[in-house]
Amino acid sequence: MEFDLTWILLGLPLAFVLGWVASRFDLRQLRAENRRAPKAYFKGLNFLLNEQQDQAIDAFIEAVQNDPDTSELHFALGNLFRRRGEYDRAVRVHEHLLSRGDLSRVDRERAQHALALDFLKAGLLDRAEDALQRLEGTPFEAQARMALLAIYERSRDWPHAATIAHKMHQADQGDFSTRQAHYLCEQAQALTTQGDLPAAQALLEQAIAAAPQAARARIELARLQHLMGRPAAVLDTLQVLAEQNPAALPLAAPLLVEAATATGRVSQAQALLSAHYAQAPSLDVLEALVSIDASDAATRPAARQRYVQHLDKERSLVAASKWLAGEKLEHEEFHPQIQRALEHAVKPLTRYRCAACGFEARQHFWQCPGCQTWDSYPARRVEEL
């Protein structure tokens, strides 16, 4: 059979023409797609840059409709919904992403994390907890654990909070020993309220072992020992507190005086408080020393002189008000009005203030009620800061 070169000569131009037509068709289709989807996408970006979120959402919805398989557009749209507070729409977007069978593992983890954030922002803590737990073993694990810790603290679920804090501590995500001690102290307080004092004591001893440098566990233990009628143990516990964490002693100064009086070891308590006051003058320690002097007839006249001595060191309106309360003025008939005005003026100065957010309170908190930060309240009054 002879091979006819004529067919080859005719076929080459035909193949070239067909290839050129196909390439032009694909090019036109690509250009059409680029004009359609990216135009809406870049329009949305432009609206975002101009802080026009409503128009940006409309543009991204248009882009998603043109190309429903583009996951990045879904992420952008879901994040926009969350920022606007439209959490139900954000949830639907991210749940739609998770329902896709062709989604990559990386994008699936991103969508799971975004869904957890949607639930958190919406205040759906039980659903957020479930979504966050699914992030174990993913690149979002550390963030998920921190969010879970916040949920458990907010709901006062201290055992679960302790479990998460232990995991984070073991994973070198920070030192959570002090926070774990706080959780034990919270559980001990609940047991004390229920009347189970021995179990509360056991938890407080665990807290001291977990964070020996922390002040709260020893102060709570001293208060528990006081409830159990063991003043000698109270004094010994607070003696260790003064050695381990002297800055926290003002919080326990009244309890120290009470325990010392009950055990007849007032001179020991006075020496301890005087040494602390010499290092760091404090209104609470000053009050404790005044109360010790006032309890003894021999030292009672000198008790109020401590306020004057304090004024030599500190410009304290609180100390001045307390000293003036026992003085006789030239116009004695006006003394009650003047004293009431001074006491009203010094009330804000005797509060405690959070170092993280500035929230002020009449009592000392271990966790700020405003910003939820632990150990943010110094053991000193506002006037002393």
Side-chain angles (χ1 to χ4, degrees):
M1 180 178 179
E2 296 182 359
F3 187 74
D4 192 353
L5 294 176
T6 305
W7 291 106
I8 296 177
L9 296 175
L10 291 174
L12 285 175
L14 181 61
F16 175 78
V17 170
L18 290 175
W20 180 83
V21 171
S23 66
R24 296 298 295 176
F25 177 77
D26 289 342
L27 187 59
R28 283 198 300 270
Q29 185 179 6
L30 181 61
R31 286 175 178 173
E33 290 177 355
N34 286 340
R35 284 196 300 269
R36 189 166 60 248
K39 182 178 179 181
Y41 180 73
F42 289 120
K43 187 193 299 182
L45 288 179
N46 184 55
F47 285 133
L48 272 183
L49 292 173
N50 291 307
E51 298 183 357
Q52 296 174 282
Q53 292 189 9
D54 291 336
Q55 293 88 334
I57 286 175
D58 293 338
F60 282 132
I61 289 175
E62 179 187 347
V64 167
Q65 289 172 345
N66 291 330
D67 190 2
D69 295 329
T70 305
S71 58
E72 289 299 332
L73 291 177
H74 284 78
F75 282 121
L77 190 58
N79 291 338
L80 269 176
F81 282 142
R82 189 192 313 127
R83 287 176 59 185
R84 283 180 50 81
E86 299 181 50
Y87 304 121
D88 54 339
R89 300 179 75 181
V91 166
R92 285 201 298 271
V93 169
H94 294 130
E95 284 182 337
H96 171 71
L97 274 173
L98 287 171
S99 68
R100 284 172 46 180
D102 62 337
L103 201 64
S104 68
R105 182 180 61 84
V106 173
D107 281 345
R108 186 170 298 278
E109 291 167 353
R110 283 181 63 193
Q112 184 66 43
H113 180 246
L115 183 62
L117 293 180
D118 297 337
F119 290 141
L120 274 176
K121 291 292 185 179
L124 303 173
L125 299 186
D126 53 342
R127 300 183 69 180
E129 179 184 356
D130 179 65
L132 290 166
Q133 287 173 345
R134 296 172 185 269
L135 292 169
E136 281 287 323
T138 72
F140 299 98
E141 181 181 71
Q143 301 174 47
R145 285 176 176 175
M146 187 60 74
L148 277 172
L149 197 63
I151 289 175
Y152 292 140
E153 287 184 357
R154 194 184 310 177
S155 58
R156 303 186 68 79
D157 188 348
W158 305 119
H160 279 101
T163 301
I164 294 296
H166 178 71
K167 287 182 178 179
M168 297 176 74
H169 190 86
Q170 293 295 107
D172 292 328
Q173 292 178 228
D175 184 359
F176 288 86
S177 57
T178 301
R179 192 172 290 198
Q180 288 175 297
H182 279 301
Y183 300 153
L184 290 168
C185 290
E186 293 287 347
Q187 295 176 71
Q189 281 188 336
L191 290 172
T192 301
T193 303
Q194 297 167 13
D196 193 349
L197 303 188
Q201 181 177 348
L203 287 179
L204 291 173
E205 289 171 353
Q206 289 180 36
I208 292 173
Q213 77 287 353
R216 182 184 183 181
R218 284 195 169 86
I219 293 177
E220 297 290 352
L221 179 60
R223 290 171 179 166
L224 182 64
Q225 290 166 338
H226 176 68
L227 285 176
M228 299 171 75
R230 299 168 54 195
V234 173
L235 202 57
D236 293 340
T237 299
L238 295 181
Q239 179 79 42
V240 176
L241 173 71
E243 297 170 359
Q244 296 286 334
N245 199 325
L249 187 61
L251 297 174
L255 183 59
L256 177 67
V257 173
E258 189 172 348
T261 303
T263 56
R265 295 159 65 182
V266 175
S267 58
Q268 178 184 342
Q270 188 174 32
L272 178 62
L273 291 168
S274 297
H276 182 279
Y277 181 84
Q279 293 293 324
S282 163
L283 287 171
D284 290 293
V285 175
L286 172 65
E287 280 298 302
L289 289 169
V290 169
S291 66
I292 290 175
D293 289 343
S295 64
D296 189 344
T299 57
R300 192 172 300 142
R304 294 183 59 261
Q305 287 302 113
R306 287 189 178 273
Y307 293 125
V308 178
Q309 295 167 4
H310 184 78
L311 289 171
D312 289 336
K313 298 179 179 180
E314 306 287 337
R315 296 177 180 178
S316 172
L317 186 60
V318 176
S321 174
K322 290 182 177 294
W323 175 82
L324 190 61
E327 289 298 306
K328 290 187 177 181
L329 303 182
E330 182 179 352
H331 301 285
E332 187 61 25
E333 67 274 18
F334 302 124
H335 192 186
Q337 297 93 315
I338 295 173
Q339 191 61 38
R340 282 197 301 270
L342 282 173
E343 289 173 357
H344 179 73
V346 301
K347 272 185 180 180
L349 302 178
T350 59
R351 295 174 182 166
Y352 295 97
R353 179 187 294 159
C354 173
C357 70
F359 186 91
E360 293 186 2
R362 287 184 295 177
Q363 69 180 83
H364 181 274
F365 287 101
W366 296 105
Q367 185 185 28
C368 176
C371 64
Q372 306 300 309
T373 305
W374 290 99
D375 292 316
S376 59
Y377 276 84
R380 302 178 72 82
R381 310 285 179 166
V382 168
E383 187 186 59
E384 302 172 279
L385 298 178

